[in-house]
Amino acid sequence: MKVLVLGSGVIGVTSAYYLARAGHEVTVIDRQPKPALETSFANAGEVSPGYSSPWAGPGVPVKAVKWLLMKHGPLVIRPKLDPVMWLWLLKMLRNCTTSRYAVNKSRMIPIAEYSRDCLQALRSEIGIRYDERARGTLQLFREQAQLDHTGDDIAVLKQYGVPFEVLGREGCIAAEPALAGVKEKFAGGLRLPHDETGDCHMFTQALALEAEKLGVRFNFNVGIDGLNADTTRITGVATSAGMMTADAYVLALGSYSPILLRPLGISLPVYPVKGYSITVPIKDASGAPESTVMDESYKVAITRLGDRIRVGGTAEISGYSTKLYAARRATLDHSLTDLFPRGGDLPRATFWCGLRPMTPDGPPVIGATRFANLHLNTGHGTLGWTMACGSGRVLADMLSGKQPEIDTKELSIKRYDVRFG
């Protein structure tokens, strides 16, 4: 088939790559001049299936109040006169129960684990490089109470067969030697040895080159204005370069996906949640992290990417604003300098933000819509990098009429759209 992929972030590019590998004629369009220049550009760098959990969980509403009052709190809400924002928040609150958390997590772990396997296979098959490391991730607890309350998380890890280690101070230092100088600032940690790290932007650009070798055409600097449809099928995409047509269409526009779907009568509850990062040149390698350290108190991830440190965090609900707020950078600066004071050259850091496409329940939305030739690959939230390769692979299988290697029916838009079919 001729397939038109809308979006050249990590989700769009992995979709295009696997579609081309399956033998389809693929074109990608994007408003940016190159791949991965928006949400995929400077994320935290984690490939962490073990931490693939919904944000909506039991106890989150109470924690949210605490976070909103903290100086370096991980949550920011900037109220707007936007009914879509408030409806999304209400839907998220509805998922903050033990039973729904368990169901939603059970939908996320399989695609995340499968995606890591697909990423490892890509490294073996095409030798792709992206400042990758396979040295696990360490969730660091500053307080003993945090360490004492890991029972629920450990139970879930056991349920899904995810290897883990509960570590005291010395165990954390063995995994991350640079923490030796600040050992009085933490009580212990939870380490997932099979998690990985890497530069999502570097990966996406490298994979786009591999996709071009398979015949994928990338049309950049093309604005996407809308989807044209009859009663059953998409008939074309209105763009700044004119009408573009194909046999099948893949919508991989992250937070902007719902905007194109609303005129078609499809309600997709994906909302942008802004995340921030700083990228810091390494000043002293012995004082930098070896992999990813997740500062649990501030919900900040500190990741080694080659000769740089990427520090990512904050969940800011403020619509589609990409304004950079100095207070958000202060939180990232604080976490880095508190735990790795010698590692980074902070005055040379670059500051960035991106809009994570979040669903209220947590899992992404992958697969068909009630328009026969329109398919979705969106709503991955903070886990787009973690889930990208698996999501692209299963979507390509679906469009090719093949049974995906994992069960994906619970990732369908059917879980939201009662008018489907």
Side-chain angles (χ1 to χ4, degrees):
M1 292 187 294
K2 292 184 178 180
V3 183
L4 189 59
V5 177
L6 282 62
S8 69
V10 68
I11 300 298
V13 171
T14 51
S15 298
Y17 174 82
Y18 284 109
L19 283 164
R21 205 169 76 169
H24 301 292
E25 183 181 332
V26 183
T27 299
V28 179
I29 57 176
D30 196 288
R31 64 185 178 184
Q32 297 291 348
K34 293 180 180 180
L37 293 184
E38 294 194 24
T39 303
S40 301
F41 182 71
N43 63 23
E46 301 169 78
V47 179
S48 299
Y51 290 118
S52 296
S53 301
W55 282 18
V60 166
V62 174
K63 290 179 183 178
V65 174
K66 175 186 175 184
W67 292 334
L68 288 169
L69 298 174
M70 287 172 57
K71 178 182 178 182
H72 292 299
L75 176 65
V76 177
I77 299 177
R78 303 189 191 279
K80 301 173 70 68
L81 293 174
D82 179 5
V84 176
M85 171 194 283
W86 297 109
L87 182 59
W88 182 87
L89 283 168
L90 286 173
K91 289 179 178 179
M92 184 177 178
L93 286 173
R94 285 186 60 210
N95 280 279
C96 291
T97 66
T98 301
S99 59
R100 292 191 180 193
Y101 178 86
V103 169
N104 292 329
K105 189 175 179 72
S106 73
R107 295 168 173 171
M108 298 171 73
I109 290 287
I111 184 67
E113 294 278 350
Y114 178 64
S115 186
R116 184 198 52 213
D117 295 344
C118 291
L119 177 61
Q120 291 174 347
L122 272 186
R123 283 207 302 270
S124 175
E125 293 162 3
I126 64 176
I128 192 168
R129 290 292 174 258
Y130 47 94
D131 278 344
E132 73 281 358
R133 289 189 170 212
R135 302 190 184 184
T137 59
L138 175 64
Q139 186 177 15
L140 196 70
F141 302 117
R142 290 176 178 266
E143 301 172 8
Q144 184 63 39
Q146 294 172 324
L147 187 61
D148 293 341
H149 286 86
T150 57
D152 290 344
D153 290 334
I154 289 172
V156 172
L157 294 173
K158 288 181 177 178
Q159 179 183 351
Y160 293 101
V162 179
F164 67 91
E165 300 168 340
V166 179
L167 305 175
R169 281 196 182 97
E170 295 307 317
C172 292
I173 292 168
E176 290 286 353
L179 292 174
V182 295
K183 62 182 180 181
E184 75 283 355
K185 294 185 178 180
F186 60 90
L190 178 63
R191 182 170 181 265
L192 302 186
H194 287 187
D195 281 4
E196 302 186 1
T197 58
D199 188 321
C200 180
H201 173 249
M202 186 183 295
F203 168 85
T204 306
Q205 293 210 329
L207 190 64
L209 294 176
E210 295 295 328
E212 286 183 322
K213 295 177 185 177
L214 298 176
V216 175
R217 294 189 299 273
F218 287 87
N219 290 348
F220 294 114
N221 299 304
V222 175
I224 301 169
D225 300 321
L227 301 174
N228 289 4
D230 58 25
T231 56
T232 61
R233 299 179 64 83
I234 301 300
T235 58
V237 180
T239 78
S240 60
M243 189 65 63
M244 296 187 177
T245 61
D247 300 315
Y249 302 83
V250 175
L251 186 58
L253 289 174
S255 298
Y256 296 91
S257 300
I259 296 173
L260 287 186
L261 293 174
R262 281 184 204 125
L264 303 179
I266 297 177
S267 178
L268 176 66
V270 168
Y271 197 77
V273 176
K274 189 195 299 183
Y276 292 83
S277 75
I278 54 173
T279 304
V280 187
I282 289 177
K283 181 170 61 176
D284 179 351
S286 67
E290 290 295 322
S291 187
T292 288
V293 173
M294 300 174 64
D295 187 346
E296 179 62 18
S297 293
Y298 303 113
K299 303 293 184 182
V300 168
I302 306 171
T303 301
R304 174 80 162 263
L305 297 176
D307 59 358
R308 301 157 294 147
I309 302 172
R310 175 71 49 74
V311 187
T314 300
E316 180 181 302
I317 301 171
S318 58
Y320 287 84
S321 167
T322 54
K323 181 178 178 180
L324 291 167
Y325 289 93
R328 299 300 96 215
R329 171 163 179 169
T331 297
L332 305 178
D333 291 355
H334 170 72
S335 186
L336 175 64
T337 56
D338 202 44
L339 295 177
F340 298 96
R342 297 183 295 108
D345 189 355
L346 199 57
R348 294 174 57 203
T350 56
F351 188 30
W352 172 89
C353 71
L355 301 178
R356 310 179 186 108
M358 300 288 296
T359 59
D361 51 348
V365 182
I366 306 172
T369 69
R370 47 196 179 82
F371 292 91
N373 61 342
L374 176 61
H375 306 264
L376 306 180
N377 198 357
T378 188
H380 296 76
T382 59
L383 297 166
W385 179 207
T386 293
M387 296 181 174
C389 290
S391 298
R393 177 69 181 272
V394 299
L395 183 80
D397 287 343
M398 291 174 184
L399 264 70
S400 304
K402 294 174 58 178
Q403 183 69 30
E405 295 179 342
I406 62 170
D407 186 358
T408 59
K409 65 179 183 294
E410 295 299 327
L411 302 179
S412 166
I413 195 174
K414 286 184 181 182
R415 71 184 195 262
Y416 302 124
D417 191 352
V418 295
R419 298 166 295 171
F420 186 99

